[in-house]
Amino acid sequence: MKVLVAVKRVVDYNVKVRVKSDQTGVDIANVKMSMNPFDEIAVEEAVRLKEAGVATEVVVVSVGVAQAQETLRTALAIGADRAILVEANDGVEPLGVAKVLKALVEKERPSLVILGKQAIDDDSNQTGQMLAALAGLPQATFAAKVGVEGDNAIVAREVDGGTETLSLKLPAVVTTDLRLNEPRYVTLPNIMKAKKKPLETVKPEALGVDLTSRLKTLKVTEPPKRAAGVKVPDVKTLIEKLKTEAKVL
């Protein structure tokens, strides 16, 4: 069974992002980049399926700039077998990524496609669902537990009221939630081994995909600063302020 995992290069989650002075986007100059945390969980889950003898091959793919090879090498160090980089500019929209993944699904014929539920840079939470729709595959989002039984994937997914368990006929698409697993620490020996694993680079045109942007970012602004709190002398004053100023009573 082959597992295809999509990963994205994003600003590291420990970095405090800054908006550009012209408000055209986020400043990523000289900023540490890393794998999207939800995608790291997806890679870990695929590798665990391989270690359990369920999967035979784990292929990771990224759509982005040449520097995304570093992100793919990290996935290879976690335990993926080979990688594919679809070279494109930064800011590829979820629909474009979904079209690329659909083309790769048709080419690679994986039994399972695993993605992070969203990327921490744009928080779109769209790519997995769009891929399932374009490829005509069953999907399970926000997975908290993934198992394979015969020709079916058994996925426990997080919903507002608790956990919902679904059975999906393979091939299928699964997007990961935070509680699915805890990614392993990448060791230096595995980083060295990852350098020898195959990494293929292709152009979107070779896959028959047009990544022309359909959305235009008008402006990016920082959230308003939170106002400082105030102290009140007694409960009566507090209630009065809640009525007259906050207007919540």
Side-chain angles (χ1 to χ4, degrees):
M1 185 179 98
K2 183 188 294 185
V3 181
L4 183 72
V5 185
V7 299
K8 185 177 183 181
R9 177 178 180 263
V10 299
V11 175
D12 189 87
Y13 69 93
N14 288 311
V15 174
K16 182 177 175 58
V17 296
R18 301 185 306 275
V19 174
K20 293 180 179 178
S21 58
D22 59 3
Q23 297 184 328
T24 57
V26 173
D27 186 4
I28 61 172
N30 302 315
V31 170
K32 181 183 178 183
M33 308 293 284
S34 62
M35 188 188 304
N36 178 48
F38 290 103
D39 297 341
E40 193 172 2
I41 292 170
V43 175
E44 174 67 26
E45 192 64 22
V47 172
R48 291 188 185 189
L49 288 173
K50 183 184 176 184
E51 291 173 344
V54 176
T56 55
E57 184 182 25
V58 177
V59 182
V60 289
V61 58
S62 186
V63 182
V65 295
Q67 291 88 333
Q69 291 186 33
E70 300 172 8
T71 305
L72 290 170
R73 291 294 179 192
T74 300
L76 293 173
I78 292 174
D81 298 294
R82 59 187 175 92
I84 302 171
L85 172 62
V86 181
E87 286 192 325
N89 296 327
D90 271 328
V92 180
E93 296 165 3
L95 179 58
V97 177
K99 288 181 177 180
V100 168
L101 294 178
K102 175 182 178 289
L104 289 174
V105 165
E106 293 173 348
K107 178 183 177 182
E108 296 287 338
R109 296 294 178 185
S111 297
L112 188 62
V113 183
I114 309 180
L115 311 86
K117 71 171 184 178
Q118 65 195 73
I120 61 172
D121 53 359
D122 57 19
D123 278 331
S124 292
N125 184 18
Q126 296 175 338
T127 305
Q129 294 90 324
M130 288 178 169
L131 169 61
L134 292 171
L137 298 176
Q139 64 173 309
T141 55
F142 314 126
K145 186 176 181 181
V146 176
V148 177
E149 296 179 3
D151 294 332
N152 295 287
I154 309 300
V155 180
R157 59 185 302 269
E158 297 192 2
V159 295
D160 290 342
T163 303
E164 176 186 44
T165 302
L166 302 176
S167 176
L168 291 77
K169 188 73 174 177
L170 296 176
V173 176
V174 173
T175 68
T176 64
D177 212 331
L178 282 174
R179 280 161 287 279
L180 178 58
N181 62 52
E182 184 175 344
R184 70 194 65 189
Y185 177 77
V186 180
T187 62
L188 181 58
N190 286 334
I191 293 175
M192 300 306 293
K193 290 177 184 177
K195 294 181 178 180
K196 299 180 180 179
K197 292 183 178 180
L199 195 160
E200 178 187 1
T201 301
V202 298
K203 296 289 186 181
E205 296 78 15
L207 299 173
V209 179
D210 178 15
L211 294 182
T212 301
S213 179
R214 291 168 172 78
L215 302 175
K216 180 180 180 181
T217 300
L218 301 180
K219 184 169 63 172
V220 177
T221 59
E222 294 185 0
K225 292 184 178 179
R226 187 175 179 179
V230 295
K231 290 183 178 181
V232 294
D234 50 44
V235 175
K236 181 180 179 181
T237 307
L238 172 62
I239 294 175
E240 186 63 26
K241 283 184 175 291
L242 290 175
K243 285 181 178 180
T244 60
E245 296 181 19
K247 299 186 185 301
V248 295
L249 293 180

